[in-house]
Amino acid sequence: MHTKDEKSAAFSRLLDIIDELREKCPWDRKQTNESLRPNTIEETYELSDAILNNLPREICKELGDVLLHVLFYAKMGSERGDFDIADVCNRLSDKLIYRHPHIYPPADKPAAGAEMTTADQVLQQWEQLKAKEKDGNRSVLSGVPASLPALIKAFRIQEKAANVGFDWEEKAQVWAKVKEEIAEFEAEMARGTHEKAEAEFGDVLFSLVNAARLYGINPDTALERTNRKFIRRFGYLEQKTLKQGCNLKDLSLAEMDAIWEEAKQNAAEE
């Protein structure tokens, strides 16, 4: 691993490269916040893929791509006179110190946060301090980005509500709510009212996300792992069919189920 001086030198070198590219490269010079935004989203998802695949070299590479975008936005901010990378770093440092009083106790409260012994306590304190910040989000849920994917947004909404005490007394109580929402969805499906059934299905998903949160499961990660598992198994089904000289559409459901079970038993597919 590198020393602190080596890390500082590497960061300084990167800043110099960003400055030079912005000045001399036609593509880099042309970029704006708006033009760069779609690329930033793509890079974030590529980092997510690398993390889920547990590929350290790829994680390192994708972190570099995300960092490039952070520095690029800061460079454009400095050109407008709005802020620069030092402002970004200092604001982040100030926020981290303020929201970790159990590590950086204020001078007037030297024992602040001494009772913080669990990650859940720290998270609750973080949200409470965030709500108190002068320039922060005073509404508990207003800090949840509107453009977040719905599954992640549901998780964050519930997490933030729980951090101010709006939660089940016992986590097992959530299952009664899950069963209630499923029953209501089934009832609307039986009535054939599509719009109401859609609303009830949303409630089912929301209650399942809540259950996942209470039991320490990230629903987005869990669903993505299932997506990948399905893709692997379906790929096995397709390849096995091709090897047999058949068309997948010509197989009966029973025949496809038999190959699907093979895929499940295939140790290599996991």
Side-chain angles (χ1 to χ4, degrees), residues 93-268:
S93 295
D94 292 343
K95 180 171 70 175
L96 291 173
I97 290 171
Y98 173 73
R99 294 191 191 170
H100 289 82
H102 54 297
I103 305 297
Y104 307 100
D108 58 336
K109 295 181 180 179
E115 72 284 359
M116 295 289 112
T117 59
T118 70
D120 285 342
Q121 288 175 326
V122 173
L123 182 58
Q124 289 177 8
Q125 175 182 253
W126 175 282
E127 294 294 346
Q128 290 164 6
L129 289 171
K130 183 176 180 179
K132 291 179 182 178
E133 290 174 7
K134 182 178 180 181
D135 296 323
N137 300 293
R138 296 192 177 277
S139 168
V140 172
L141 301 182
S142 63
V144 180
S147 57
L148 269 182
L151 191 66
I152 300 174
K153 186 190 292 187
F155 185 83
R156 289 296 290 137
I157 287 171
Q158 294 170 9
E159 192 174 46
K160 284 180 173 291
N163 284 331
V164 295
F166 190 73
D167 204 359
W168 300 99
E169 292 180 357
E170 299 291 338
K171 62 183 181 182
Q173 293 173 329
V174 74
W175 297 116
K177 186 63 175 176
V178 170
K179 292 172 184 176
E180 174 190 327
E181 298 297 355
I182 291 174
E184 291 178 0
F185 170 61
E186 289 177 334
E188 290 301 338
M189 287 294 292
R191 293 188 187 99
T193 50
H194 181 270
E195 186 174 341
K196 290 183 179 179
E198 182 182 76
E200 294 298 344
F201 186 69
D203 291 345
V204 171
L205 289 177
F206 196 82
S207 67
L208 285 171
V209 169
N210 206 7
R213 176 187 62 82
L214 288 165
Y215 283 86
I217 296 170
N218 184 292
D220 184 72
T221 301
L223 182 58
E224 178 56 19
R225 293 193 187 282
T226 295
N227 288 340
R228 294 180 179 211
K229 180 169 61 178
F230 185 93
I231 290 170
R232 287 196 302 271
R233 291 177 179 175
F234 198 83
Y236 180 93
L237 172 61
E238 287 182 308
Q239 291 302 315
K240 182 69 177 287
T241 304
L242 286 173
K243 287 178 181 178
Q244 293 176 346
C246 302
N247 189 316
L248 193 58
K249 293 181 179 180
D250 295 332
L251 294 181
S252 68
L253 182 57
E255 289 171 323
M256 285 191 283
D257 280 342
I259 301 175
W260 185 266
E261 288 301 319
E262 274 185 38
K264 289 172 65 175
Q265 298 301 320
N266 187 344

Side-chain angles (χ1 to χ4, degrees), residues 45-62 221 224-225 228 232 270:
Y45 277 104
E46 289 180 357
L47 173 60
S48 175
D49 284 344
I51 292 170
L52 284 174
N53 290 324
N54 193 26
L55 300 171
R57 290 177 63 86
E58 286 299 308
I59 293 173
C60 180
K61 171 184 173 296
E62 298 303 340
T221 301
E224 178 56 19
R225 293 193 187 282
R228 294 180 179 211
R232 287 196 302 271
E270 297 296 345

